[in-house]
Amino acid sequence: MSHETDPFAEFSEAFFEEAAEHVATVEDGLLRLDAGTLGVEGMHGVFRAVHSIKGLAATLGFGEVAAFTHEFESVLDRLRSGTMVSTPALAQLLLRSNDTLKTLLDASRAGRASSVPVAEETAALKAVLHGTNTGAPTATTAAVDATDVATGPRQYSIRFLPRPGLFATGQDPMLVVRELAELGDEVSVVCETTRLPAIDALDPEQCYLIWVVKVTTTAARDVIEQAFMFIEDDCEYSLRDVTDDPSRAGVAAFAPTLKQVAAAAVGDPKPVAAEATSIRVPTDKVDALVDLVGELVISQAMVNQIATTFDLGRLKELQDALASLDRSTRDLQERVMSVRMLPVATVFNRFPRLVRDVSGKIGKKVRLELQGAETELDKGMIERIGDPLTHLVRNAIDHGLETPADRLAAGKSDTGTVMLRAFHEGGTVVIEVSDDGRGLNTGRIREKAITNGLIRADEVLSDDELHALIFAPGFSTAAQVSDLSGRGVGMDVVKRNVEGMSGSVAVASTPGQGSRVRIRLPLTLAILDGLIVGVGGASYVLPLLSVVESLRPNPRDVRTILGDGEVLVVRGESLPFVRLHSVFGHPTATTEPSQAIVVIAETDGRRFGLMVDDVLGQQQVVIKNLEANYRKLDGVMGATILGDGRVSLICDIQELFRFTTTRRHAADIGATTVGAPEDIFA
C-alpha cells in the first residue's frame, strides 16, 4: 500500500525498523537464557521487546503479528514471573518462535502475512502454556496442537458491543472489526443501529453501534479472541461457531467481504521492500551537521564579500577565508560520511545463534568470542560482509574445529573457540575469523591442487601460497560433502565478495593450533586520503594511511639479494623494495635510487619500500571503479581525477607488497603495464 493511500505507511516503516531491533534483542536474550546467563532484568527485557512488537502491531493493524506475539509473550511472562522454568527444549522453541516472528514481520512488510504458516508454532506455545508440552516439537504434541488450533475452516459469528464510553479511552472499534476480517477469507459485517438514540439526544462522543462479524477461518477461538485483547474492558462480545448452522448458506455468496470493499477503496496493496532502506542517525550527528552547514554558509559569505571588493591588499584576507571554507567543507564531508558508518556489531550479532545451531547440529562444543564489535564500517559494506563471514564461521566450525573427543586426544579443551574480531589498521577495517582447531592440512591442499591442475607436481610453493589456493573456485579438501560445506563453494565466493568491496582476504594457519582468515576492507568505498607521487611523468596515488615515511636513500642502502630482488636498508632494517616504474612500465623514470624517493609503506604489519621519482603532495581523492571503466589491473585498486583534471591510478599497497615477496617484475606482470593513466579513459 502506498503512502498516499495508507495513512499509517510512515508509521509502519518505523515500526518494522524498530521491530527488527526488538527481534535481535529477543534472540540475544534467548541465547543467554539457553546458556543460563540471562538474569531477571534480562528476562524482563526480552518480555518488553515482544510486548512492544505486539502493542504496535495491533495499533497499526498487523493482526497476524499481534496474535502470534500474544502467545509468545504469554510464555515469556510465565518465565519472568517464575511460574515456569526454562529448559533446553523450551529455549529452542522460543528461538524458533522468534524466527517465525521475524519471518512474519518481513511478510507483513511485504503485505503477505497470511502466507506465513504460524499454526504449528502457535500451537506449540499454547501447549507449553497449558502444560501439555515442554517445548520440544514431538509428533504427539503436534497432534494435540493441531486439534487445539483448528480442525479445518470454521465459520464464526462474533457480536461486538462496544461500551458507549469507548471513544473516551482513545480506542477505535473499527480496528477490531478489521482485525477480525483479516482472520479469514469469507467475511460479512453487519452494523446494528438499535442503540442509536433520537437525533436530538445523540451524543457524538458516545459509541452506539454494534457489529456482527461472520468469518470463515482456520484460526482457533483463542486467536479470534485476541482481537479484543486491548479493548476487553470496554466492550462485550460473543463468539459462536455457526459452521453447522444451515442459515450460513448463502451468506458468503451474497455478502461483499470487508476485504473486497477495502480493496475496491484503496486498490491492491503493493509489496513493500523487505530490506531497510534508511539509517537511524543519532541526534548529535545531525546537530553537528547543522552546525557545520552554518559555518560553511558563513565562510562562503566571507569569500563572496572579499571577492566583490578585492584588491591585492586583501590577498591575505582572501587566503584566510578560503582556508576557512576548505576546513568547513572537509569537516562537512567527514561528518556526512560518518552518517553512513555503522558498528560491525550489526553483523556480529547474528553469529551467536548461528554458532549455537551449527555446533549443535554436528555435535561439537564451540565457544564464540566477539571483539571490536563497536568498530564502524560503511553501511554498504555492513550489508555485504554478512554472507562472507557466515561462510567463514561455518567453515571454521565444520572443518576447522575437531570433535570433542579429538580435541581431548590432542590435549586441548573439548570446547573449541571461534573468534570474530574487528579493528582499525592503517586506515582500513580488519575483520578476522579465527579458530583454535586443527589448522589447514597443507599436504592435502597440495595434493588436491595438483589433482585439480592448479599447480604442477614439481612446482615449489610456500605454505602461504598453498593456503591461498583454498580460495580457488571449486577447491575443497573435504572427504565428504555435508549440508554445511564440502562442495568447494564458499571460499571463492568469500574472496569474490570481499574483492568486490575493494578489500582483500588472506589466510594463515598453524598445524594443530588453528587458522585465521583476515579480511581487510576500506572504511568507505568512496573517498580516501592519498599521497600523490610522480613516476615517469605520470601521477599515482598511494593510500596515505598506508604510508609510513618517505626518504632519499644512499646508494649503499639498496642491496641485491643473491642476484634476484632488492632490499632497502633503513636504520639497520632490511625492507623489501619495489621500483614502481618497473611495475607500471615507465622507461623514462628515474632508475637510480639515490636520485629518486622511496616511500615506506605498511600492510598487515609488514613494511616495504616503493621507489618513485618524486612526491607531489597530499590530496583527498574520490575512488572510481577501474574495472567498470577499463579492466582489472594488477597493483591498482582504482582510479581518480586529480584537482588539475588529470587521471591518476590508485595503487593497491597489498598487491604491490606481494610483488616484492614473489619477486614479480614487469616482465612477468605485463598485463599491469598500462602506460600513462590518461590512456585508460581516452
Side-chain angles (χ1 to χ4, degrees):
M1 190 177 292
S2 68
H3 286 219
E4 289 77 11
T5 56
D6 181 4
F8 295 111
E10 181 181 350
F11 303 107
S12 298
E13 284 302 305
F15 161 68
F16 287 120
E17 291 179 15
E18 187 174 332
E21 294 177 5
H22 286 315
V23 167
T25 299
V26 172
E27 179 167 286
D28 178 65
L30 293 178
L31 288 171
R32 288 191 285 139
L33 176 69
D34 186 37
T37 59
L38 184 68
V40 174
E41 188 54 38
M43 193 66 242
H44 282 297
V46 172
F47 174 82
R48 284 195 297 268
V50 175
H51 183 72
S52 296
I53 294 174
K54 185 184 81 169
L56 287 170
T59 301
L60 295 172
F62 298 109
E64 292 88 348
V65 176
F68 182 74
T69 48
H70 178 68
E71 301 297 345
F72 196 179
E73 162 193 85
S74 298
V75 175
L76 295 173
D77 189 35
R78 296 277 298 277
L79 284 170
R80 73 167 182 159
S81 66
T83 57
M84 183 181 291
V85 178
S86 176
T87 64
L90 179 57
Q92 180 65 27
L93 169 63
L94 294 174
L95 283 167
R96 284 204 317 271
S97 298
N98 198 47
D99 292 342
T100 301
L101 174 58
K102 184 179 179 182
T103 303
L104 195 55
L105 286 166
D106 290 342
S108 297
R109 195 174 201 166
R112 296 181 283 99
S114 59
S115 66
V116 179
V118 299
E120 184 177 352
E121 292 300 329
T122 302
L125 290 169
K126 288 164 64 67
V128 167
L129 287 171
H130 298 159
T132 57
N133 185 9
T134 58
T138 64
T140 303
T141 56
V144 172
D145 299 342
T147 56
D148 192 30
V149 175
T151 56
R154 310 288 296 179
Q155 187 179 56
Y156 294 93
S157 176
I158 306 123
R159 194 161 190 266
F160 172 36
L161 299 85
R163 297 189 189 284
L166 174 72
F167 295 147
T169 65
Q171 301 286 358
D172 181 356
M174 289 308 297
L175 291 177
V176 176
V177 175
R178 292 193 185 99
E179 187 168 345
L180 292 171
E182 293 291 331
L183 293 174
D185 294 326
E186 295 180 2
V187 182
S188 67
V189 181
V190 175
C191 181
E192 295 182 3
T193 58
T194 54
R195 293 196 302 180
L196 271 176
I199 188 66
D200 56 348
L202 189 145
D203 181 351
E205 296 184 354
Q206 297 291 305
C207 180
Y208 301 106
L209 301 179
I210 301 170
W211 288 269
V212 177
V213 180
K214 288 187 177 180
V215 55
T216 301
T217 177
T218 57
R221 295 177 66 94
D222 287 356
V223 175
I224 299 173
E225 289 175 345
Q226 287 166 14
F228 301 94
M229 69 175 73
F230 293 108
I231 203 172
E232 56 190 3
D233 293 335
D234 297 305
C235 75
E236 295 179 5
Y237 68 91
S238 62
L239 175 62
R240 188 162 58 93
D241 187 340
V242 295
T243 306
D244 302 322
D245 186 345
S247 63
R248 68 172 291 218
V251 172
F254 295 102
T257 69
L258 192 61
K259 285 181 178 177
Q260 290 169 334
V261 173
V266 301
D268 293 331
K270 297 179 180 178
V272 178
E275 293 184 1
T277 56
S278 60
I279 302 175
R280 288 195 174 196
V281 181
T283 305
D284 58 341
K285 285 190 175 182
V286 177
D287 292 342
L289 280 175
V290 173
D291 290 343
L292 282 171
V293 169
E295 292 180 18
L296 192 65
V297 170
I298 294 172
S299 298
Q300 185 184 30
M302 291 173 60
V303 171
N304 289 338
Q305 193 276 331
I306 296 172
T308 55
T309 60
F310 180 74
D311 57 47
L312 288 178
R314 302 190 68 185
L315 179 60
K316 180 65 168 58
E317 193 177 347
L318 178 61
Q319 290 174 333
D320 291 342
L322 287 172
S324 175
L325 183 63
D326 181 66
R327 284 195 301 273
S328 297
T329 304
R330 192 180 181 91
D331 288 346
L332 182 61
Q333 172 197 316
E334 292 176 354
R335 292 286 184 180
V336 169
M337 296 305 295
S338 73
V339 168
R340 286 186 56 86
M341 304 300 280
L342 296 174
V344 295
T346 311
V347 179
F348 280 9
N349 288 341
R350 72 171 63 173
F351 289 104
R353 175 69 184 281
L354 175 76
V355 170
R356 176 189 180 277
D357 291 349
V358 173
S359 60
K361 188 173 185 178
I362 61 178
K364 293 183 179 179
K365 295 182 179 179
V366 184
R367 178 176 57 252
L368 176 67
E369 293 185 7
L370 303 176
Q371 291 186 6
E374 71 284 355
T375 306
E376 290 189 330
L377 194 60
D378 186 272
K379 178 179 182 292
M381 283 185 280
I382 287 281
E383 292 170 348
R384 296 166 62 183
I385 197 62
D387 288 342
L389 290 180
T390 299
H391 278 297
L392 294 175
V393 171
R394 289 164 67 101
N395 270 359
I397 298 172
D398 194 23
H399 292 315
L401 296 180
E402 311 93 332
T403 63
D406 289 344
R407 291 183 64 86
L408 290 174
K412 300 179 179 178
S413 163
D414 63 347
T415 301
T417 299
V418 172
M419 177 183 289
L420 275 167
R421 177 170 174 248
F423 56 95
H424 289 276
E425 184 179 271
T428 62
V429 171
V430 176
I431 301 177
E432 289 182 349
V433 180
S434 59
D435 66 75
D436 63 348
R438 60 174 67 90
L440 294 177
N441 187 333
T442 307
R444 178 68 179 146
I445 292 174
R446 180 178 178 82
E447 291 174 7
K448 196 73 175 181
I450 295 172
T451 302
N452 290 355
L454 294 175
I455 61 173
R456 299 187 310 273
D458 60 346
E459 197 166 349
V460 178
L461 297 176
S462 66
D463 285 352
D464 287 344
E465 290 169 327
L466 285 171
H467 294 161
L469 294 175
I470 66 173
F471 295 107
F475 190 91
S476 174
T477 59
Q480 294 182 333
V481 174
S482 70
D483 57 349
L484 291 176
S485 54
R487 296 186 184 278
V489 293
M491 297 303 282
D492 61 321
V493 175
V494 168
K495 186 179 185 211
R496 190 163 61 247
N497 286 356
V498 171
E499 290 181 342
M501 292 182 278
S502 300
S504 63
V505 58
V507 60
S509 180
T510 303
Q513 296 183 22
S515 302
R516 183 194 67 196
V517 177
R518 170 174 285 197
I519 295 174
R520 183 177 294 276
L521 297 168
L523 278 174
T524 174
L525 299 176
I527 297 173
L528 67 76
D529 289 306
L531 181 71
I532 315 299
V533 298
V535 180
S539 298
Y540 291 87
V541 178
L542 305 179
L544 189 59
L545 289 173
S546 297
V547 174
V548 178
E549 61 177 318
S550 61
L551 52 88
R552 189 184 299 277
N554 290 320
R556 64 177 181 276
D557 292 335
V558 178
R559 300 173 185 175
T560 301
I561 304 297
L562 299 176
D564 186 16
E566 295 175 301
V567 297
L568 175 69
V569 179
V570 179
R571 292 184 284 276
E573 181 184 6
S574 296
L575 302 178
F577 176 58
V578 63
R579 298 168 185 254
L580 214 55
H581 69 83
S582 179
V583 173
F584 293 117
H586 291 287
T588 61
T590 302
T591 57
E592 173 53 47
S594 62
Q595 303 298 317
I597 298 292
V598 173
V599 177
I600 306 300
E602 185 176 67
T603 176
D604 290 336
R606 295 167 296 186
R607 299 196 301 163
F608 71 108
L610 286 164
M611 194 180 95
V612 301
D613 292 357
D614 200 2
V615 173
L616 304 178
Q618 299 179 13
Q619 181 178 327
Q620 278 201 327
V621 297
V622 178
I623 305 171
K624 301 292 185 182
N625 188 315
L626 191 60
E627 293 182 59
N629 295 285
Y630 183 58
R631 61 182 170 86
K632 176 74 173 78
L633 296 178
D634 290 341
V636 175
M637 62 177 289
T640 190
I641 299 174
L642 300 178
D644 57 7
R646 289 180 298 157
V647 176
S648 180
L649 298 179
I650 304 171
C651 294
D652 185 331
I653 296 297
Q654 279 195 315
E655 198 157 341
L656 291 176
F657 177 75
R658 283 200 293 273
F659 290 172
T660 67
T661 57
T662 58
R663 298 188 178 89
R664 300 180 68 193
H665 301 289
D668 56 349
I669 53 174
T672 307
T673 305
V674 295
E678 286 79 357
D679 295 343
I680 296 172
F681 300 97

